[in-house]
Amino acid sequence: MSTAIFEQLRPRLFALAFRMLGSHADAEDAVQDVWLRWRNVDVATLHDPVGWLIRVCSNLCLDVLKSARRRRENYVGNWLPEPWVNPFANETETALINQDYLSQAYLLMLEKLSAAERIALVLHDVFDWDHAAIAGVLENQPNNARQILFRARRKMSDMATRNQPDQSHQPTRHSHAGVPETPDEAGKTASPNRLTRDDLAGFIDALQSGQADRIAALLSSDVILQSDGGGKASVNINKLFGTDHVARFFAGVWHKNLIAADMMVVESEAESWVLFSSEGVVHTAITFALGKGGIESLFVHRNPDKLAVFQPKNS
């Protein structure tokens, strides 16, 4: 019985840990640690087994986040979260895999939060936990948890402002603690817009043209490109900013490295990826997020460790 409960919740726990850690391996390790603790618990004594599992997983992630941040400080080049590929695609409840909360853009915004802020935001926005339940995980009082959540949402709102419609005419609400809330404070944190098939097709057509002006026409004036090679593949170590720099980068990369590669599109619950491969091995993966002026963020993965999720199963 206890094994059945855990296996039913395993996809939920894995997605929770991935949102916290941005790594399939780290998420898998965290879930395995939850299982080891679960085996030693008398489930009959638990009032809320699901809550217990989520709480333990969250606490384990809090510990991992501290060491993960130290590792990322020594990471070669720019660090990006791993692309999300759901290992439980045929088992997970549709409500679990919310596409807006697993994208590269959203996970990178989460990365800017403190560990406590990230835990509070994910538990509230993804799992609908109230302040009292979140306080139990953070080992503080509900009012403290409320303030942590407020700070997290304010930071996320500031980072996502350029991706959101004008909200200047919306009324200001106030939280129960008497603190002014952002327009989205009472609900879920807004996330970067998901690209459509037409958006993706337009980007691919422009990229295949190899013409910087056609690529530039799709980009926002303040577009940012981030690449992750992990010291194992050639990429731009620094971020690229602005329409001209990003467009010229892609035009150059297309002619030098991508024009002869095989290309395909893979869609996950989080976002769509353009994959480039040679001899059956994926070597480059690109996705992007949209804003008000066009493509606001582009993410290029070339670290072979992080591209493993896209490789053929028999490779």
Side-chain angles (χ1 to χ4, degrees):
M1 176 64 178
S2 63
T3 300
I5 293 174
F6 181 86
E7 290 304 323
Q8 182 180 3
L9 268 294
R10 184 187 288 272
R12 181 188 296 261
L13 298 174
F14 186 88
L16 167 65
F18 184 85
R19 286 183 176 96
M20 304 295 183
L21 307 175
S23 162
H24 286 79
D26 287 345
E28 186 175 340
D29 288 344
V31 173
Q32 183 62 24
D33 286 344
V34 176
W35 164 245
L36 294 175
R37 299 189 182 200
W38 176 254
R39 288 194 310 174
N40 296 321
V41 171
D42 182 358
V43 179
T45 65
L46 298 179
H47 174 69
D48 179 12
V50 174
W52 186 95
L53 286 166
I54 292 176
R55 183 167 56 254
V56 170
C57 186
S58 299
N59 280 322
L60 288 169
C61 288
L62 277 171
D63 293 335
V64 175
L65 279 171
K66 298 172 185 177
S67 60
R69 288 189 186 279
R70 288 194 294 270
R71 291 201 308 270
R72 288 165 197 170
E73 289 174 358
N74 299 319
Y75 193 80
V76 178
N78 188 49
W79 180 90
L80 291 175
E82 291 180 12
W84 165 260
V85 175
N86 180 16
F88 305 98
N90 298 321
E91 305 171 35
T92 305
E93 315 99 307
T94 55
L96 169 62
I97 306 302
N98 186 322
Q99 62 188 18
D100 291 333
Y101 295 95
L102 285 161
S103 69
Q104 291 281 290
Y106 193 82
L107 291 175
L108 272 179
M109 288 196 295
L110 285 180
E111 184 70 14
K112 304 297 184 182
L113 305 181
S114 70
E117 289 168 345
R118 192 186 304 198
I119 291 286
L121 191 72
V122 171
L123 289 179
H124 181 274
D125 283 5
V126 180
F127 295 96
D128 292 321
W129 278 34
D130 60 22
H131 299 102
I134 295 171
V137 173
L138 300 178
E139 297 183 345
N140 58 24
Q141 298 299 313
N143 281 342
N144 298 123
R146 188 190 306 277
Q147 292 300 321
I148 290 172
L149 179 61
F150 172 77
R151 289 198 301 270
R153 182 160 289 113
R154 174 58 60 85
K155 291 179 182 178
M156 295 290 279
S157 178
D158 290 344
M159 288 185 280
T161 294
R162 66 179 182 172
N163 294 318
Q164 304 306 315
D166 183 12
Q167 297 175 331
S168 59
H169 300 296
Q170 296 190 28
T172 299
R173 290 194 291 263
H174 289 77
S175 70
H176 296 296
V179 181
E181 296 179 343
T182 58
D184 198 44
E185 175 70 16
K188 308 298 185 184
T189 301
S191 62
N193 298 325
R194 179 181 173 87
L195 56 94
T196 66
R197 285 181 176 273
D198 288 343
D199 298 322
L200 196 62
F203 174 76
I204 291 173
D205 287 344
L207 183 61
Q208 289 179 315
S209 75
Q211 299 175 16
D213 58 341
R214 287 191 58 184
I215 299 171
L218 300 177
L219 307 178
S220 168
S221 60
D222 55 355
V223 63
I224 301 174
L225 181 145
Q226 302 180 65
S227 304
D228 184 339
K232 300 181 179 182
S234 59
V235 294
N236 270 352
I237 294 180
N238 299 316
K239 299 176 183 178
L240 291 182
F241 299 90
T243 304
D244 185 62
H245 287 127
V246 173
R248 290 181 181 276
F249 166 81
F250 272 116
V253 165
W254 174 259
H255 286 299
K256 292 179 182 178
N257 301 318
L258 301 180
I259 193 169
D262 296 322
M263 182 178 64
M264 66 179 296
V265 174
V266 170
E267 295 192 39
S268 72
E269 296 90 345
E271 56 205 340
S272 300
W273 291 84
V274 185
L275 307 183
F276 297 89
S277 62
S278 298
E279 299 181 354
V281 178
V282 176
H283 56 72
T284 304
I286 302 172
T287 191
F288 56 87
L290 299 174
K292 291 181 289 187
I295 296 175
E296 289 272 353
S297 303
L298 288 133
F299 308 96
V300 179
H301 275 274
R302 301 207 70 229
N303 184 340
D305 296 338
K306 296 184 179 183
L307 293 176
V309 295
F310 292 128
Q311 304 300 353
K313 299 299 182 181
N314 59 353
S315 66

